[in-house]
Amino acid sequence: MPLSKFFCKPDTSATVKRERRKEARPGELLAAALDLFVEKGFAATKSEEVAARAGVSKGTLFLYFPSKEELLKAVVRENISGRFKEWNDEFLSFEGSSAEMISYCMNVWWDRVGATKASGITKLMMSEAKNFPEIAEFYQREVIEPGQTLIRRILQRGIDRGEIRPLDLDYAVFTIVAPMMFLILAKHSPGICAPMTLAMDPKKYIDTQLGAILHGLLAAPAATSSPDKK
Amino acid sequence: MPLSKFFCKPDTSATVKRERRKEARPGELLAAALDLFVEKGFAATKSEEVAARAGVSKGTLFLYFPSKEELLKAVVRENISGRFKEWNDEFLSFEGSSAEMISYCMNVWWDRVGATKASGITKLMMSEAKNFPEIAEFYQREVIEPGQTLIRRILQRGIDRGEIRPLDLDYAVFTIVAPMMFLILAKHSPGICAPMTLAMDPKKYIDTQLGAILHGLLAAPAATSSPDKK
Amino acid sequence: MPLSKFFCKPDTSATVKRERRKEARPGELLAAALDLFVEKGFAATKSEEVAARAGVSKGTLFLYFPSKEELLKAVVRENISGRFKEWNDEFLSFEGSSAEMISYCMNVWWDRVGATKASGITKLMMSEAKNFPEIAEFYQREVIEPGQTLIRRILQRGIDRGEIRPLDLDYAVFTIVAPMMFLILAKHSPGICAPMTLAMDPKKYIDTQLGAILHGLLAAPAATSSPDKK
Amino acid sequence: MPLSKFFCKPDTSATVKRERRKEARPGELLAAALDLFVEKGFAATKSEEVAARAGVSKGTLFLYFPSKEELLKAVVRENISGRFKEWNDEFLSFEGSSAEMISYCMNVWWDRVGATKASGITKLMMSEAKNFPEIAEFYQREVIEPGQTLIRRILQRGIDRGEIRPLDLDYAVFTIVAPMMFLILAKHSPGICAPMTLAMDPKKYIDTQLGAILHGLLAAPAATSSPDKK
DNA sequence: GATGAATGAGGATTCATTCAT
DNA sequence: CATGAATGAATCCTCATTCAT
């Protein structure tokens, strides 16, 4: 610890560059890796590309991650928020109707996950789960299970309060989950979900789906709805 | 299950089998390639694996397809049903209610595409579209656009007949499409959609989603819920 | 198995080249590897060099050996003759004097091991034993132990017959072993043992050493030999 | 064990230790390098390991030695005793019998070289001479030639005095040299010379070999054994 | 001086593709 | 036609060396 640390004004210019970078490196590399793995797939991404996108050289990547595969693991670990407990608490104290709750749930998910880079992880797992069972299992435990549990609780609460029809929850959760997955696909694989000509607005999509999910597509005279049309 | 199964006498002589195989080679290679590309991704699949699964040697693969990439193109081309025109006609003459039509649409799609290997193509495009723009464009043209047009027509017909609420069709089609994509994901990336402990029954899933999509999740006192729309 | 095998005269020209080579490859590669590992050390030898010396390309090497390290193991395994049992039998039935036996032992060792490529293995182990303990252990078991046991028996027989002075056999074996090691060094590390100007003749060296070992360096009046000189 | 150990007061202040170390750096690096080069070979030793063992950072190593290869040269240069002239003088004035002289020679060599780190240089040259001809030549000139000349003189003196049988000196020197080389091997490549179960005592080994070399292995009735020579 | 973060040439290994058989 | 041995470009990864701090 050089004395300059005490007597000089805190390093502003030059000193910073190297030292600050050192701490920033792993993050920059993880971000670059996430981008590229999501964009091109794990196998099709060269480690040198990752390094280049992070603004460093090949060698530097391996200074921070011992192998490309460990980099992938780190990417997944890094981007899996352990935020489910926090969300759980948030929903435990939620006071509104089930419709509001579901709406809130999907919108919050979009803002905090779907719209962020973290959504790329799900896209990544879609392609790579089979190749990296160990990572897939981790993803299962950290994301899928807590997520579905959370949604299940929301629906159960709605059923208990008489706001939601009694449903087979095993399948009903997918009614909430499917649009989320669809949004991720639409974001990361444009052209797979919609014609490239349509620039989908996620918030509008969520709104529309909420309308369908909550009230159905069918027109008002609901009592008579489907059976006897013709 | 082709009709030939019922009308032709079963293959008897070995000679037949062998000659049959020779002609079947490209098809077997395409099938093997589809399986593996879907399972492990294009880049992570070795051409030798494809050959091995098709029961031929590495060299033979390149006898039928000039390169791994051409093989991918052929796989996509081969598995894209040009059946949209036929389906279109089927729906033009459909006589039931919109609810029945949507239900029929999803179930037929599942039987003819979702449940078959052809569904792998969609999974494949999810991962590889970015890497093979040429193929992606082809897929767009041959699958996405006709598919969405078909669904659009069904919904438009429903709106015209007063069976379906007036909707922004650009987004409403996703209400039908999203569950299909979700099913494909659930089939090809188990563990991404649901906990591995749940063995999802696709037909039951379709049924449940149809219930939600058509009538909404909310409980009976619907009279007050839908009117405010519009 | 093509019928040509039975009806055509055995393939002499073209057919041979490829097929014969396939079986010859591993041997050619092992020979090349032994040469180079001995010459330059394991770490300093590039796999491409090994391949080149065997007259094939880089890739071919890895067709036969999964890694450079496995190649090293194979080299050691290949060159460690399990000939000790055969030698043991040879010596069990030996009829001459102990002097003859020791002389025969060293000369035979030189002809069958020292003068052959197999001697390179010992040179190799001198440098690499520390880096590859697994291989070193194998070498211990297959070479060192049987070899020393054999020599021990020869000396014990000589002592029993009163031809050899009673000796601490643990150390006496080295009297036989050391010249062998020295010959290997002289062969594989010229300049380490003798000035480069002297082209050592191994047979002559063995003879000289046998003279020294058996009769000592000191002049004839042996009874009075060393103590009271000067 | 330098005399300073006995006459100087032990280092007390930290400052001293640190400054001492600064000056000692090159020496510590050379010592570390010798250890590691001997243990693992030149190519298999990483410069960072050398630095670490010397307790400094990678960068510091290159502050003192411009390259890994220069480090090797320095290691060899540093550890080659220029003591041959001094030894030569010692032997010129030696008064004992040839047997005593040879015994003294080997024991002194062991104490001053064999038992010290300097012996590693010989081990190092065994492995690396081929890769660094320049260093090998230096070693030749500085070690092999003076060493063998010294031994030659001892033997010649013995022959002249009638204590040693007339011998081809070119080969007779090896009778003295081989046990030395063997000791170095036994020290640095345990398991190459003897079963790992035997912890060889160098002094005892030297004694035994002297017995063999001087008097031969054969039993007493020597009168008949030596005359046939000549 | 000393450090250790960064570099990039170099070596191990893979795998699409070729081609002699 | 079919094969699979051979190839070598491409990729992962290492490590000697540099240089800003």
Side-chain angles (χ1 to χ4, degrees):
Chain A
M1 192 175 352
L3 287 180
S4 59
K5 275 275 167 63
F6 297 94
F7 294 111
C8 302
K9 61 183 185 324
D11 28 44
T12 47
S13 57
T15 323
V16 170
K17 210 165 288 170
R18 187 90 158 236
E19 301 218 336
R20 157 131 3 126
R21 304 222 64 168
K22 193 217 158 166
E23 280 156 30
R25 279 292 134 75
E28 291 165 1
L29 285 163
L30 287 169
L34 176 55
D35 280 2
L36 286 164
F37 289 166
V38 169
E39 196 173 313
K40 321 178 41 166
F42 176 77
T45 300
K46 299 170 222 178
S47 12
E48 193 162 13
E49 287 177 300
V50 175
R53 182 170 299 203
V56 298
S57 77
K58 215 179 351 160
T60 304
L61 170 60
F62 291 96
L63 226 49
Y64 293 95
F65 304 95
S67 74
K68 198 182 161 193
E69 194 165 334
E70 284 303 319
L71 174 61
L72 174 60
K73 287 186 193 174
V75 164
V76 175
R77 236 178 278 122
E78 178 75 10
N79 286 283
I80 283 182
S81 56
R83 280 178 296 193
F84 282 107
K85 205 191 146 321
E86 165 197 343
W87 290 1
N88 212 31
D89 297 346
E90 214 172 322
F91 282 96
L92 278 180
S93 59
F94 196 91
E95 307 247 309
S97 71
S98 286
E100 284 162 351
M101 207 166 174
I102 290 170
S103 167
Y104 182 70
C105 172
M106 289 188 71
N107 278 288
V108 153
W109 169 84
W110 175 253
D111 293 337
R112 297 189 199 167
V113 178
T116 72
K117 279 189 160 194
S119 68
I121 291 297
T122 299
K123 169 71 193 329
L124 193 48
M125 295 311 298
M126 290 177 192
S127 314
E128 308 296 344
K130 289 254 188 54
N131 296 329
F132 303 96
E134 190 193 346
I135 303 179
E137 199 189 344
F138 175 69
Y139 179 77
Q140 267 282 323
R141 188 159 18 87
E142 301 292 323
V143 179
I144 302 301
E145 279 166 24
Q148 304 231 344
T149 301
L150 182 54
I151 295 171
R152 226 185 164 90
R153 284 205 188 118
I154 294 174
L155 293 176
Q156 187 63 57
R157 173 179 175 278
I159 295 172
D160 292 346
R161 296 170 57 150
E163 291 168 339
I164 292 178
R165 294 191 275 122
L167 296 159
D168 178 340
L169 284 188
D170 277 344
Y171 287 76
V173 288
F174 300 145
T175 307
I176 313 295
V177 170
M180 291 168 165
M181 302 296 278
F182 190 77
L183 265 179
I184 287 180
L185 272 175
K187 179 183 174 189
H188 293 291
S189 300
I192 293 305
C193 296
M196 305 282 303
T197 48
L198 174 68
M200 186 199 286
D201 171 5
K203 285 294 194 171
K204 191 170 172 196
Y205 169 76
I206 289 178
D207 242 42
T208 316
Q209 294 316 302
L210 282 170
I213 287 171
L214 295 174
H215 311 106
L217 293 175
L218 300 187
T224 30
S225 60
S226 56
D228 48 9
K229 271 276 131 79
K230 201 249 137 135
Chain B
M1 191 174 351
L3 287 180
S4 60
K5 274 278 166 63
F6 296 94
F7 293 111
C8 299
K9 61 183 187 320
D11 315 328
T12 48
S13 73
T15 330
V16 168
K17 201 173 284 170
R18 196 173 296 144
E19 292 189 359
R20 174 69 76 69
R21 292 206 63 198
K22 191 177 278 187
E23 284 155 27
R25 285 283 149 78
E28 285 168 7
L29 284 163
L30 288 169
L34 176 55
D35 280 2
L36 287 165
F37 290 166
V38 168
E39 197 173 313
K40 319 176 45 164
F42 175 77
T45 299
K46 293 170 229 179
S47 11
E48 191 162 16
E49 289 178 299
V50 175
R53 184 173 295 205
V56 298
S57 76
K58 226 178 339 175
T60 305
L61 171 61
F62 288 91
L63 221 54
Y64 291 99
F65 305 95
S67 76
K68 197 182 165 193
E69 193 165 339
E70 284 304 319
L71 174 61
L72 174 60
K73 288 186 191 173
V75 164
V76 176
R77 233 179 282 119
E78 183 74 12
N79 287 281
I80 280 180
S81 62
R83 281 176 296 189
F84 281 107
K85 206 189 145 324
E86 162 200 341
W87 289 1
N88 211 30
D89 297 346
E90 214 172 325
F91 281 95
L92 278 181
S93 59
F94 195 90
E95 308 243 311
S97 70
S98 286
E100 283 162 352
M101 208 164 171
I102 290 170
S103 167
Y104 182 69
C105 171
M106 290 190 70
N107 278 289
V108 155
W109 170 84
W110 174 251
D111 293 336
R112 298 191 198 163
V113 178
T116 73
K117 281 188 158 195
S119 68
I121 292 298
T122 300
K123 170 73 191 332
L124 192 49
M125 295 312 298
M126 289 177 191
S127 313
E128 309 295 343
K130 288 255 191 53
N131 296 326
F132 303 97
E134 190 193 347
I135 306 179
E137 198 190 347
F138 174 71
Y139 179 77
Q140 267 283 319
R141 189 159 17 85
E142 301 291 324
V143 178
I144 302 300
E145 280 166 23
Q148 304 228 345
T149 302
L150 183 53
I151 294 171
R152 226 182 164 91
R153 284 205 187 115
I154 295 174
L155 293 176
Q156 187 62 58
R157 173 179 174 276
I159 295 172
D160 292 346
R161 295 171 59 156
E163 292 168 339
I164 292 177
R165 293 191 277 122
L167 296 158
D168 179 341
L169 284 189
D170 277 345
Y171 287 78
V173 288
F174 301 146
T175 308
I176 312 295
V177 171
M180 292 169 165
M181 302 295 278
F182 190 78
L183 266 178
I184 287 180
L185 272 176
K187 178 181 174 188
H188 292 290
S189 298
I192 292 306
C193 298
M196 303 284 303
T197 47
L198 174 68
M200 186 199 288
D201 171 5
K203 286 293 194 173
K204 189 168 174 199
Y205 169 76
I206 289 177
D207 246 40
T208 316
Q209 293 316 301
L210 281 170
I213 287 170
L214 296 173
H215 310 107
L217 294 174
L218 299 187
T224 32
S225 64
S226 51
D228 58 346
K229 282 270 171 209
K230 200 233 141 153
Chain C
M1 190 176 351
L3 287 180
S4 60
K5 277 273 167 65
F6 296 93
F7 294 111
C8 302
K9 61 182 183 327
D11 28 44
T12 47
S13 57
T15 323
V16 170
K17 209 164 291 170
R18 187 93 158 232
E19 301 218 337
R20 157 128 6 126
R21 303 221 67 168
K22 193 216 156 166
E23 280 157 30
R25 280 290 135 76
E28 291 165 1
L29 286 163
L30 287 169
L34 176 55
D35 280 2
L36 286 164
F37 290 166
V38 169
E39 197 172 314
K40 320 177 41 164
F42 176 76
T45 299
K46 301 170 221 179
S47 9
E48 193 161 13
E49 288 177 301
V50 175
R53 183 171 296 204
V56 297
S57 77
K58 217 178 348 162
T60 303
L61 170 60
F62 291 95
L63 226 50
Y64 293 95
F65 303 95
S67 73
K68 198 182 162 193
E69 193 165 334
E70 284 302 319
L71 174 62
L72 173 60
K73 287 187 192 173
V75 164
V76 176
R77 234 178 280 121
E78 178 76 10
N79 287 283
I80 283 182
S81 56
R83 277 178 298 194
F84 282 107
K85 205 192 146 323
E86 163 199 343
W87 289 1
N88 211 30
D89 297 346
E90 214 172 323
F91 282 95
L92 277 181
S93 59
F94 196 92
E95 307 246 310
S97 71
S98 287
E100 284 162 351
M101 206 164 173
I102 290 169
S103 167
Y104 182 69
C105 172
M106 290 189 71
N107 279 289
V108 154
W109 169 84
W110 174 252
D111 292 337
R112 298 190 199 166
V113 178
T116 73
K117 279 189 160 194
S119 68
I121 291 297
T122 298
K123 168 72 191 333
L124 193 48
M125 296 311 299
M126 290 176 192
S127 315
E128 309 297 344
K130 289 255 189 56
N131 296 329
F132 303 97
E134 190 193 346
I135 304 179
E137 198 190 345
F138 175 69
Y139 179 78
Q140 267 283 323
R141 188 160 18 87
E142 301 293 324
V143 179
I144 301 300
E145 279 166 24
Q148 304 232 344
T149 301
L150 182 54
I151 294 171
R152 226 185 163 88
R153 283 207 188 114
I154 294 173
L155 294 176
Q156 186 63 58
R157 172 178 174 277
I159 295 173
D160 292 345
R161 295 170 59 152
E163 293 170 337
I164 293 179
R165 294 192 276 122
L167 296 159
D168 179 341
L169 284 189
D170 278 344
Y171 287 77
V173 288
F174 301 144
T175 307
I176 313 295
V177 171
M180 291 169 167
M181 301 296 277
F182 190 77
L183 264 180
I184 287 180
L185 272 175
K187 178 181 174 190
H188 293 290
S189 298
I192 292 305
C193 297
M196 305 280 305
T197 48
L198 174 67
M200 185 199 287
D201 171 4
K203 285 294 195 174
K204 191 169 175 201
Y205 169 77
I206 288 177
D207 244 42
T208 317
Q209 293 316 301
L210 281 169
I213 287 171
L214 295 174
H215 311 105
L217 294 174
L218 300 186
T224 30
S225 59
S226 57
D228 49 9
K229 267 280 139 55
K230 207 245 130 161
Chain D
M1 194 172 350
L3 287 180
S4 58
K5 273 277 166 62
F6 296 93
F7 293 110
C8 301
K9 60 182 187 318
D11 315 326
T12 47
S13 71
T15 329
V16 167
K17 201 173 280 170
R18 197 172 296 145
E19 292 190 358
R20 173 70 77 67
R21 293 207 63 202
K22 192 177 277 187
E23 284 154 27
R25 284 286 148 77
E28 286 167 10
L29 283 163
L30 288 169
L34 175 54
D35 280 2
L36 287 165
F37 290 166
V38 168
E39 197 174 313
K40 320 177 45 163
F42 176 75
T45 299
K46 293 170 230 179
S47 8
E48 191 162 15
E49 289 177 300
V50 175
R53 184 171 295 204
V56 298
S57 77
K58 225 178 340 173
T60 304
L61 170 60
F62 288 91
L63 220 53
Y64 291 100
F65 305 95
S67 75
K68 197 182 164 192
E69 192 164 339
E70 284 304 319
L71 174 61
L72 173 60
K73 288 185 192 172
V75 164
V76 177
R77 233 178 282 120
E78 183 74 12
N79 287 282
I80 281 181
S81 60
R83 281 177 294 190
F84 281 107
K85 207 193 141 323
E86 161 200 341
W87 290 1
N88 211 29
D89 297 346
E90 211 173 326
F91 281 95
L92 279 181
S93 60
F94 194 92
E95 307 243 310
S97 71
S98 287
E100 283 163 353
M101 207 165 173
I102 290 170
S103 167
Y104 181 69
C105 170
M106 290 189 72
N107 279 288
V108 154
W109 169 85
W110 175 252
D111 293 337
R112 299 191 198 165
V113 178
T116 73
K117 280 190 159 194
S119 68
I121 292 297
T122 299
K123 169 73 191 328
L124 191 49
M125 295 313 298
M126 288 177 191
S127 313
E128 309 296 343
K130 289 255 189 55
N131 297 325
F132 303 96
E134 190 193 346
I135 305 178
E137 199 190 344
F138 174 71
Y139 179 77
Q140 267 283 319
R141 189 160 17 86
E142 301 292 323
V143 179
I144 301 299
E145 279 166 23
Q148 304 228 344
T149 301
L150 182 53
I151 294 171
R152 224 182 167 92
R153 283 205 188 116
I154 295 174
L155 294 175
Q156 186 63 57
R157 173 179 174 277
I159 295 171
D160 292 346
R161 296 171 59 154
E163 292 168 340
I164 292 177
R165 294 191 275 123
L167 295 159
D168 178 341
L169 283 188
D170 278 343
Y171 287 77
V173 287
F174 301 146
T175 307
I176 312 296
V177 170
M180 292 169 166
M181 302 295 276
F182 190 77
L183 266 179
I184 287 181
L185 271 177
K187 177 182 175 188
H188 292 291
S189 299
I192 293 305
C193 297
M196 303 284 303
T197 48
L198 174 68
M200 187 199 287
D201 171 4
K203 285 294 194 174
K204 188 168 177 199
Y205 169 77
I206 290 177
D207 246 42
T208 317
Q209 294 316 301
L210 282 169
I213 288 170
L214 295 174
H215 310 108
L217 294 175
L218 299 188
T224 29
S225 64
S226 50
D228 57 348
K229 280 271 173 221
K230 202 240 140 152

